[in-house]
Amino acid sequence: MTSHVLQFTKLSDRDRKAVAPMPNLAEGDQLELRIRRESGQLQTLSLPASALAPVEALLDHLLRGERVALLTEDQELSPADASTILGISRPLVVLRMDRGDLPFRYVGKHRRAKLKDVLSLKAKLDARQKSLDALAEDTEDLIVNHGL
């Protein structure tokens, strides 16, 4: 069920070159999406101001040639999907779930964790790794510069 969750998309180089860069938007600007149907019919969809920042970010990433995926905060992920986001193996994700580091629920016999909980764990793991890297750098400095 969640195999579709982490499908990424990106624009081809040809498509990126064909699209004009998005102009800088100011407060009060409105966002409209024009759709030309295969039949030639033109439709315009007005989007609320709150949609401006996410749409702008999406287009910016696509135009830079980056791959993007759209997920909702409460989207439930399998351990395999969570492992992709966390950059660790699926068994380590299951271990984190069993230890209580990553809240989850069962759907039948399958574990599911909310994206927001996975991202929270990722932030903790990233902060921990940053601290370990700084400690390693300090240790190396002590050894090289102070002969310890």
Side-chain angles (χ1 to χ4, degrees), residues 2-58:
T2 60
S3 61
H4 70 282
V5 169
L6 293 180
Q7 285 188 354
F8 290 86
T9 190
K10 75 182 247 182
L11 295 176
S12 69
D13 288 339
R14 191 175 111 194
D15 287 342
R16 283 181 33 231
K17 291 175 184 170
V19 175
M22 189 162 171
N24 290 332
L25 300 172
E27 191 174 330
D29 287 349
Q30 294 183 359
L31 185 61
E32 291 184 344
L33 181 63
R34 290 181 27 170
I35 303 166
R36 185 176 309 274
R37 299 270 178 202
E38 191 175 26
S39 64
Q41 178 188 9
L42 188 64
Q43 287 182 298
T44 302
L45 175 66
S46 294
L47 299 174
S50 60
L52 187 62
V55 169
E56 191 173 24
L58 172 69

Side-chain angles (χ1 to χ4, degrees), residues 4-9 54 58 67-73 75 115:
H4 70 282
V5 169
L6 293 180
Q7 285 188 354
F8 290 86
T9 190
L58 172 69
R67 293 175 39 189
V68 297
L70 181 65
L71 301 171
T72 62
E73 186 179 58
Q75 179 130 12
L115 174 63

Side-chain angles (χ1 to χ4, degrees), residues 129-142:
Q129 186 61 49
K130 187 176 179 182
S131 296
L132 287 172
D133 291 344
L135 181 61
E137 192 175 301
D138 288 347
T139 303
E140 186 176 334
D141 179 56
L142 285 172

